[in-house]
Amino acid sequence: MTEFARDLALSFAAALGMVVGGALAGGFVALFTGGLPLETMDTLSRRLKLWATVASVGGRWWPFKPWSRGLWRASCGSWSGN
C-alpha cells in the first residue's frame, strides 16, 4: 500500500470514528434526558461529518503530502526535460 493510500485510510477511519462516536454519545444523552435517541443520532451524524473531516486532517494536511510531492516531481521533471 502506498503512503498516500495509507494516510487516506487513516484519515477516513478517524473521521468515521468521530461521527459514529459523537452520534452514539449524543444518543445516550438523548436517552437519559428524555429526547429521541435515533433522531438525535441522525441529526448529530449529519452535523458532525464536516467537522470530523476537518479534525481528521488536523490542520497539518499530512494526508496530502505524497500527492503534492507527486505533482511537484511530475511538474519539475517535465520542466527539466526528464
Side-chain angles (χ1 to χ4, degrees), residues 6-77:
R6 186 185 72 236
D7 290 345
L8 188 63
L10 286 172
S11 291
F12 174 77
L16 180 65
M18 287 179 224
V19 171
V20 171
L24 283 174
F28 283 126
V29 169
L31 184 67
F32 295 130
T33 59
L36 299 172
L38 292 178
E39 183 178 321
T40 302
M41 290 171 69
D42 181 49
T43 302
L44 283 174
S45 66
R46 291 176 194 272
R47 291 182 181 174
L48 287 174
K49 285 179 190 174
L50 173 64
W51 297 114
T53 304
V54 170
S56 71
V57 172
R60 295 181 309 258
W61 299 102
W62 56 268
F64 300 105
K65 275 187 178 179
W67 181 72
S68 64
R69 270 189 253 146
L71 283 178
W72 179 253
R73 286 183 190 145
S75 65
C76 288

